[in-house]
C-alpha cells in the first residue's frame, strides 16, 4: 500500500498541466488610456502606458522626478491592424484591461467611425465599459502626455479621474463609455462626449509653464452620426437640468458690472410635456439652494434671488436656442414626452434624430432660488 502511495505522489508532477498560459505581471505593459484618430483611410491608435510602481504616492513624500509617461502610436487600415502595429514594438505583451479613459479625435467623430471602434471594443473583452470617454480637437499625444500637479501620475488628472474636479465645479458632467453607448441606442435621447483641450500658461512650476487639461465643450454625436459641437459658453444651461450637478457658480451682473457671485448646489428640476396642434411644448421648473460667495454692492436678499432666477432662466434658454439652431434636443425634452405619451412622440417625431421640438417648444421656465447661506455678513432682509 505504501509503495502504491509513493508511486502516485511521484507521478503527480507529470500529470498536472501547470499554468503555461499565464503571464507574470511584471512581464506585461499596461495601457491606461487609448486615443483613436482617423484620417486618409487609416486609423491611428495612441496608447498611454504608465509604470504602476510610480502611480502610488505615499503620504508626506514628494517625487523627485515626474513619473514617466509612454505614448505609443500604431497605424493601419483597420483598428485591429493599428493595434497590431503597436504590438510590433511593444517588446512585452500589451494588456488593455487597465484602460480608464478613451479619447476620440474630432476628425474620427466627423468621419462617423465611432461605431466601428465601439464594435471592436464590444468584442474585445479586456476593455471595460466603465472607462471615461472624451473627445478632443488637440493632438491626441499631447492630451495623453499631460500630467497634473506635484509630479503625480496622469491617473490623477481629469482624463482618468474627472469626478474630483466635477464635485467642485460641475460645469460639464463626465461620461462613461457605458452611458454613451446606452444613450446612443435610445432614439429619443441625445448623446454627447465631453471635449478636452490643453491650456497653456495658466499654471507655472518654478516659473516654468505647465500645460494642464481642461474642458472646452462637447461633441454631439452617436455611434453612427455626427451632429455638432457646442462650446462651454453655449452649454451653460446643461448643469441646471442634470441630476448629477453638485456645485456651480452663478455670476450676477448689472450693467456689465459684477454685483455678486452665488454658489448653487444640487439643483432639482422637473419637465412637464404637452402636445397641442401636433406640436410639443415643455414647462420646466428648477429649484436651487445657493450661498453667497461674493457681494460687491448693497443689495437685499430679494434682489439677489430675483437676479439669480433670471440668470439661470437665461442660461437654460440660451443653451436650448444654441442647440435648436443645430436641430439638437440638448435637454432630452423629447424623452420626457416619450415616457409620458409614447404614442404622441412617435406621431410627431421627425428626422433621423427623432426631434419633436419647434422654436417655441420651451414655454414656461420657473426657477426658485433659496439663499440658505449669506456668507459671513448678513444680507439685508435675510431671514435666518
Amino acid at each position: 500500500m505504501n509503495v502504491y502511495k509513493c508511486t502516485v505522489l511521484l507521478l503527480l508532477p507529470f500529470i498536472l498541466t501547470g499554468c503555461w498560459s499565464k503571464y507574470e505581471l511584471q512581464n506585461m505593459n499596461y495601457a491606461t488610456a487609448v486615443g483613436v484618430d482617423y484620417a486618409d483611410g487609416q486609423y491611428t491608435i495612441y496608447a498611454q502606458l504608465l509604470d504602476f510602481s510610480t502611480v502610488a504616492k505615499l503620504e508626506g513624500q514628494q517625487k523627485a522626478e515626474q513619473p514617466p509617461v509612454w505614448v505609443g502610436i500604431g497605424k493601419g487600415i483597420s483598428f485591429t491592424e493599428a493595434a497590431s502595429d503597436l504590438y510590433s514594438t511593444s517588446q512585452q505583451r500589451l494588456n488593455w484591461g487597465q484602460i480608464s479613459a478613451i479619447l476620440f479625435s474630432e476628425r474620427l467623430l466627423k468621419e462617423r467611425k465611432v461605431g466601428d471602434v465601439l464594435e471592436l471594443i464590444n468584442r474585445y473583452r479586456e476593455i471595460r465599459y466603465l472607462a471615461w470617454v472624451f473627445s478632443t480637437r488637440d493632438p491626441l499625444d499631447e492630451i495623453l502626455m499631460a500630467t497634473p500637479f506635484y509630479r503625480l501620475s496622469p491617473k490623477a488628472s481629469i482624463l482618468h479621474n474627472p469626478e474630483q474636479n466635477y464635485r467642485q465645479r460641475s460645469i460639464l458632467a463626465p461620461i462613461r463609455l457605458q452611458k454613451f453607448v446606452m444613450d446612443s441606442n435610445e432614439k429619443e435621447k441625445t448623446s454627447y462626449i465631453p471635449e478636452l483641450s490643453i491650456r497653456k500658461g495658466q499654471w507655472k512650476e518654478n516659473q516654468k509653464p505647465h500645460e494642464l487639461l481642461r474642458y472646452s465643450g462637447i461633441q454631439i454625436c452617436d455611434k453612427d452620426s455626427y451632429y455638432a459641437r457646442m462650446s462651454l459658453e453655449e452649454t451653460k444651461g446643461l448643469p441646471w437640468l442634470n441630476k448629477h450637478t453638485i456645485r456651480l457658480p452663478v455670476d450676477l451682473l448689472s450693467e456689465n458690472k459684477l454685483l455678486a457671485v452665488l454658489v448653487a448646489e444640487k439643483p432639482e428640476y422637473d419637465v412637464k410635456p404637452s402636445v397641442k396642434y401636433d406640436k410639443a411644448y415643455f414647462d420646466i421648473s428648477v429649484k436651487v439652494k445657493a450661498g453667497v460667495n461674493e457681494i460687491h454692492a448693497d443689495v437685499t436678499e430679494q434682489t439677489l434671488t430675483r437676479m439669480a432666477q433670471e440668470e439661470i432662466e437665461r442660461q437654460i434658454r440660451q443653451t436650448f436656442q444654441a442647440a435648436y439652431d443645430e436641430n439638437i434636443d440638448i435637454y432630452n425634452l423629447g424623452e420626457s414626452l416619450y415616457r409620458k405619451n409614447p404614442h404622441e412622440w412617435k406621431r410627431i417625431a421627425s428626422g433621423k434624430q427623432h426631434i419633436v421640438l419647434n422654436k417655441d417648444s420651451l414655454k414656461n421656465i420657473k426657477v426658485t432660488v433659496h439663499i440658505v447661506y449669506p456668507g459671513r455678513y448678513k444680507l439685508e432682509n435675510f431671514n435666518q
Side-chain angles (χ1 to χ4, degrees):
M1 188 67 178
N2 290 335
V3 174
Y4 174 77
K5 290 181 178 180
C6 291
T7 303
V8 171
L9 290 174
L10 290 172
L11 289 174
L12 277 176
F14 299 96
I15 298 174
L16 296 177
T17 59
C19 300
W20 296 102
S21 62
K22 300 298 180 183
Y23 294 89
E24 298 293 335
L25 295 179
Q26 67 272 18
N27 293 331
M28 285 197 286
N29 295 320
Y30 295 91
T32 51
V34 60
V36 189
D37 191 11
Y38 184 84
D40 301 325
Q42 269 200 333
Y43 287 93
T44 303
I45 296 179
Y46 297 79
Q48 180 196 70
L49 275 63
L50 300 179
D51 181 358
F52 281 95
S53 65
T54 66
V55 171
K57 179 179 182 296
L58 298 178
E59 185 177 355
Q61 288 188 349
Q62 174 68 52
K63 289 184 173 64
E65 298 180 356
Q66 178 69 48
V69 181
W70 290 79
V71 175
I73 303 175
K75 296 183 178 182
I77 59 173
S78 68
F79 189 93
T80 301
E81 185 175 296
S84 181
D85 187 30
L86 274 175
Y87 298 154
S88 67
T89 55
S90 64
Q91 308 302 306
Q92 296 175 306
R93 179 183 174 88
L94 187 57
N95 183 286
W96 303 90
Q98 301 300 317
I99 287 179
S100 58
I102 299 175
L103 188 65
F104 296 124
S105 70
E106 182 184 54
R107 186 162 44 196
L108 179 134
L109 300 180
K110 290 183 175 180
E111 290 287 345
R112 297 171 173 81
K113 293 296 181 179
V114 174
D116 294 343
V117 177
L118 294 182
E119 199 274 341
L120 181 128
I121 290 175
N122 186 43
R123 293 177 181 275
Y124 201 67
R125 292 173 293 176
E126 283 189 21
I127 301 178
R128 303 171 185 175
Y129 270 89
L130 290 179
W132 300 106
V133 60
F134 297 98
S135 62
T136 186
R137 297 190 295 171
D138 289 351
L140 292 172
D141 55 341
E142 290 186 12
I143 299 291
L144 296 175
M145 291 294 292
T147 56
F149 298 134
Y150 309 121
R151 303 182 181 89
L152 293 177
S153 161
K155 294 290 284 184
S157 71
I158 60 175
L159 178 66
H160 294 278
N161 189 16
E163 292 174 303
Q164 296 299 319
N165 178 274
Y166 185 71
R167 290 190 179 100
Q168 188 172 37
R169 184 172 180 264
S170 306
I171 194 69
L172 191 59
I175 302 294
R176 291 193 185 274
L177 182 60
Q178 180 187 43
K179 176 173 173 51
F180 174 73
V181 172
M182 290 173 60
D183 290 349
S184 294
N185 290 329
E186 297 289 340
K187 294 180 180 180
E188 72 282 359
K189 298 193 73 173
T190 298
S191 54
Y192 71 85
I193 299 177
E195 180 187 275
L196 290 178
S197 64
I198 295 286
R199 182 160 184 179
K200 304 175 181 179
Q202 186 174 32
W203 292 86
K204 293 183 178 180
E205 180 186 6
N206 297 326
Q207 296 302 315
K208 295 180 180 179
H210 189 95
E211 299 178 353
L212 289 161
L213 298 178
R214 66 166 179 176
Y215 290 114
S216 51
I218 62 174
Q219 297 280 356
I220 302 166
C221 61
D222 56 33
K223 294 188 301 181
D224 304 311
S225 302
Y226 177 85
Y227 302 113
R229 176 188 181 270
M230 295 180 68
S231 66
L232 283 184
E233 182 65 28
E234 293 173 320
T235 59
K236 280 189 172 181
L238 270 179
W240 305 115
L241 273 68
N242 189 319
K243 64 181 179 179
H244 299 295
T245 298
I246 299 172
R247 186 176 184 273
L248 191 68
V250 184
D251 294 338
L252 304 181
L253 289 82
S254 177
E255 298 179 352
N256 295 323
K257 293 183 179 180
L258 184 64
L259 185 69
V261 179
L262 306 186
V263 175
E265 296 182 352
K266 298 179 180 179
E268 299 176 357
Y269 74 95
D270 183 58
V271 178
K272 293 183 178 179
S274 60
V275 176
K276 186 176 182 180
Y277 304 125
D278 293 336
K279 290 187 177 182
Y281 298 94
F282 303 89
D283 293 327
I284 296 176
S285 62
V286 180
K287 295 181 180 179
V288 177
K289 293 180 179 180
V292 180
N293 255 31
E294 296 181 34
I295 190 163
H296 303 283
D298 294 329
V299 292
T300 64
E301 175 199 358
Q302 288 78 9
T303 300
L304 286 181
T305 299
R306 175 183 56 80
M307 292 182 67
Q309 292 172 169
E310 291 174 353
E311 174 61 18
I312 292 172
E313 179 179 352
R314 185 193 69 81
Q315 292 181 9
I316 293 173
R317 290 191 181 277
Q318 180 189 44
T319 296
F320 171 84
Q321 187 61 49
Y324 178 76
D325 290 342
E326 299 287 347
N327 199 34
I328 294 166
D329 182 4
I330 193 65
Y331 294 130
N332 286 318
L333 298 176
E335 183 191 12
S336 64
L337 176 61
Y338 178 82
R339 301 301 176 191
K340 182 179 180 180
N341 195 334
H343 175 73
E344 287 293 307
W345 179 86
K346 291 178 182 178
R347 189 170 65 85
I348 64 176
S350 62
K352 186 177 181 180
Q353 297 170 254
H354 299 88
I355 297 294
V356 300
L357 303 181
N358 61 81
K359 63 178 183 179
D360 301 316
S361 284
L362 193 53
K363 291 185 66 179
N364 302 312
I365 300 179
K366 181 181 179 181
V367 181
T368 303
V369 175
H370 183 204
I371 299 178
V372 296
Y373 176 63
R376 182 172 296 178
Y377 302 103
K378 293 182 180 179
L379 288 169
E380 185 181 344
N381 299 328
F382 184 81
N383 298 318
Q384 293 191 357

